[in-house]
């Protein structure tokens, strides 16, 4: 039974060593994952900080651009409406052409006539230079705004995609950490149960040894009593046998030197049963001796068995104590790793919350732009086209 327990203990020890190796490997991998995730978290936090600053500035600039653009569009629309009226066109043509053109045409008589005619035409064109320059500025601004919105649209798409991918990766990490945490908790529970069982087995082995020791003492006392009783019995029987033998030897001696009595008497002879009595006593002596031998043999076997039990019990207890030390250390490592894993899990959950908040802010900032991007680009294109048409009208008015 003790050999089976020892084998079972050795098998359990090998199993626990494998579990310890697996746990150590898991710990090393988890530490590497923790370092990588801490690095990623620091980078994400720095990126988030910069992004919040950028988005805050971009939002403020967007509001300003929006307000300025609305005012600009209103002014341009009013300008186009004014310039497209026939009365305004005729008035501007006659007004700006009068003085400069007339002066230059008069002076052409005394100067090179062809050069002065060209200058006169230039004066008419220069009348709308400032207006056309303003329109060119508006067009350039609108084109820049279109370009900025393209960049913002691309940035929003990239940022939303990046946030989505980071969130998915972080959710996978969260699932891994939750599974690892559950596994470590199960390992700790198993190790605690096994440590408790090992303590119980040690106590049971020690109790069994204590009972075996008490039984051995009783057996030894019985052995000593048996030996003492049989020794005394043999001594008494030998004494009795010797007494009978002495008597019958003396009787035979007297029979050899017999005298003739004055009166004839019947000759005395030993009892024929005496031989049987002496043989019976001798048999009892031999039986007592055999009983002593059997008792000594049984005592020797019992002592050997008891000593074997002591050795087996001590070996089993030592193995269990070693197992307890190993499992206690493994449990402490698992508990430490569990604390680290739970801490990482908490950081991951907070990171997911931050990503969710940032994602909501991105949607709040980008959804309108993404949804209306094509329409806004089309409207700005139409606005640019309208400004260019207005410029052409002004150019036509100058030449008319």
């Amino acid at each position: 039974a003790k050999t089976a327990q020892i084998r079972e203990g050795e098998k359990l020890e090998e199993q626990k060593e494998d579990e310890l190796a697996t746990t150590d490997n898991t710990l090393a991998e988890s530490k590497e994952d923790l370092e990588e995730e801490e690095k990623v978290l620091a980078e994400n936090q720095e990126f988030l900080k910069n992004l919040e600053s950028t988005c805050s500035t971009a939002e403020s600039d967007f509001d300003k651009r929006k307000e300025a653009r609305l005012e600009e569009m209103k002014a341009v629309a009013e300008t186009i409406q004014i310039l497209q009226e026939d009365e305004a066109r005729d008035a501007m043509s006659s007004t700006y052409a009068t003085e400069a053109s007339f002066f230059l045409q008069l002076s052409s008589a005394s100067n090179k006539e062809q050069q002065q005619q060209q200058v006169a035409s230039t004066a008419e064109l220069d009348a709308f230079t400032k207006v056309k320059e303003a329109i060119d500025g508006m067009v350039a601004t609108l084109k820049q705004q279109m370009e900025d919105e393209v960049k913002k649209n691309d940035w929003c798409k990239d940022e939303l995609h990046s946030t989505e991918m980071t969130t998915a990766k972080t959710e996978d990490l969260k699932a891994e950490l939750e599974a690892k945490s559950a596994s470590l908790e199960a390992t700790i529970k198993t190790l605690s149960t096994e440590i408790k069982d090992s303590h119980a087995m040690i106590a049971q082995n020690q109790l069994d040894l204590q009972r075996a020791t008490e039984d051995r003492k009783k057996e030894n006392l019985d052995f000593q009593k048996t030996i003492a009783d049989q020794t005394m019995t043999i001594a008494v029987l030998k004494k009795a046998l010797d007494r009978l033998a002495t008597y019958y030897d003396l009787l035979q001696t007297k029979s050899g030197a017999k005298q003739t009595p004055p009166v004839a008497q019947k000759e005395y002879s030993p009892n024929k049963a005496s031989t049987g009595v002496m043989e019976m006593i001798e048999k009892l002596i031999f039986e007592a001796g055999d009983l002593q031998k059997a008792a000594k043999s049984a005592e020797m076997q019992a002592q050997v068995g008891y000593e074997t039990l002591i050795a087996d019990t001590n070996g089993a207890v030592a193995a269990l104590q070693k197992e307890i030390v190993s499992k206690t250390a493994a449990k402490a490592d698992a508990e430490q790793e569990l604390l680290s894993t739970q801490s990482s899990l908490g950081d991951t959950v907070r990171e997911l919350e931050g990503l969710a908040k940032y994602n909501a802010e991105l949607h709040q900032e980008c959804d309108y732009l993404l949804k209306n991007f094509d329409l806004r680009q089309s409207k700005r294109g139409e606005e640019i086209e309208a400004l260019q048409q207005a410029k052409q009208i002004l150019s036509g008015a100058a030449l008319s």
Side-chain angles (χ1 to χ4, degrees), residues 72-139:
E72 182 181 0
M73 291 174 64
K74 180 179 179 182
V76 169
E78 292 175 353
T79 300
I80 292 173
Q81 183 177 1
I82 292 172
L83 293 175
Q84 286 180 340
E85 293 179 355
D86 294 336
E87 294 179 358
R89 182 175 178 179
D90 295 339
M92 286 189 293
S93 298
S94 59
T95 300
Y96 288 109
T98 302
E99 294 182 0
S101 178
F102 180 73
F103 175 77
L104 291 172
Q105 287 175 358
L106 288 176
S107 61
S108 63
S110 58
N111 298 309
K112 296 180 180 180
E113 184 176 354
Q114 185 177 0
Q115 181 179 2
Q116 293 301 328
Q117 289 292 338
Q118 292 176 351
V119 172
S121 299
T122 302
E124 294 178 359
L125 293 175
D126 288 342
F128 294 99
T129 299
K130 292 184 179 180
V131 177
K132 289 189 288 184
E133 287 179 353
I135 292 176
D136 289 339
M138 293 179 188
V139 170

Side-chain angles (χ1 to χ4, degrees), residues 337-376:
E337 187 176 359
L338 177 61
L339 291 176
S340 176
T341 301
Q342 289 177 340
S343 177
S344 298
L345 181 59
D347 293 340
T348 303
V349 170
R350 286 188 289 274
E351 183 179 356
L352 282 173
E353 292 174 351
L355 286 170
K357 180 179 178 182
Y358 177 58
N359 188 56
E361 292 173 353
L362 281 176
H363 279 288
Q364 183 177 2
E365 179 180 355
C366 296
D367 281 355
Y368 178 80
L369 174 62
L370 294 174
K371 183 178 180 180
N372 298 281
F373 175 74
D374 293 335
L375 178 62
R376 290 166 64 86

Side-chain angles (χ1 to χ4, degrees), residues 47-92:
F47 176 73
L48 179 61
K49 181 179 178 181
N50 295 334
L51 193 61
E52 287 177 349
S53 176
T54 301
C55 290
S56 177
T57 303
E59 184 176 1
S60 177
D61 294 341
F62 176 75
D63 292 337
K64 291 178 181 179
R65 290 199 306 270
K66 182 178 179 181
E67 181 178 356
R69 192 175 300 117
L70 291 174
E71 293 177 356
E72 182 181 0
M73 291 174 64
K74 180 179 179 182
V76 169
E78 292 175 353
T79 300
I80 292 173
Q81 183 177 1
I82 292 172
L83 293 175
Q84 286 180 340
E85 293 179 355
D86 294 336
E87 294 179 358
R89 182 175 178 179
D90 295 339
M92 286 189 293

Side-chain angles (χ1 to χ4, degrees), residues 309-322:
L309 175 63
I310 291 175
D312 291 345
T313 300
N314 291 337
V317 169
L320 288 170
Q321 288 174 340
K322 182 180 178 181

Side-chain angles (χ1 to χ4, degrees), residues 85-197:
E85 293 179 355
D86 294 336
E87 294 179 358
R89 182 175 178 179
D90 295 339
M92 286 189 293
S93 298
S94 59
T95 300
Y96 288 109
T98 302
E99 294 182 0
S101 178
F102 180 73
F103 175 77
L104 291 172
Q105 287 175 358
L106 288 176
S107 61
S108 63
S110 58
N111 298 309
K112 296 180 180 180
E113 184 176 354
Q114 185 177 0
Q115 181 179 2
Q116 293 301 328
Q117 289 292 338
Q118 292 176 351
V119 172
S121 299
T122 302
E124 294 178 359
L125 293 175
D126 288 342
F128 294 99
T129 299
K130 292 184 179 180
V131 177
K132 289 189 288 184
E133 287 179 353
I135 292 176
D136 289 339
M138 293 179 188
V139 170
T141 300
L142 289 172
K143 288 182 177 180
Q144 183 62 44
Q145 290 173 353
M146 291 177 70
E147 183 179 349
D148 291 342
E149 281 202 352
V150 169
K151 293 180 180 179
K152 182 65 176 292
N153 182 71
D154 294 339
W155 177 85
C156 285
K157 288 181 178 179
D158 292 340
E159 198 63 22
L160 286 169
H161 178 70
S162 175
T163 303
E164 182 180 354
M165 296 300 294
T166 303
T167 300
K169 181 179 178 182
T170 307
E171 287 177 347
D172 291 340
L173 175 61
K174 177 175 175 287
E176 291 177 2
L177 291 173
E178 288 175 341
K180 182 180 178 182
S181 179
S183 176
L184 287 171
E185 288 176 351
T187 299
I188 292 170
K189 183 178 180 180
T190 300
L191 289 172
S192 299
T193 302
E194 291 174 349
I195 290 172
K196 182 179 178 182
D197 292 341

Side-chain angles (χ1 to χ4, degrees), residues 372-390:
N372 298 281
F373 175 74
D374 293 335
L375 178 62
R376 290 166 64 86
Q377 291 290 306
S378 175
K379 290 298 183 182
R380 281 201 179 89
E382 293 175 359
E383 186 176 350
I384 290 172
E385 184 179 357
L387 286 171
Q388 291 174 342
Q389 289 177 357

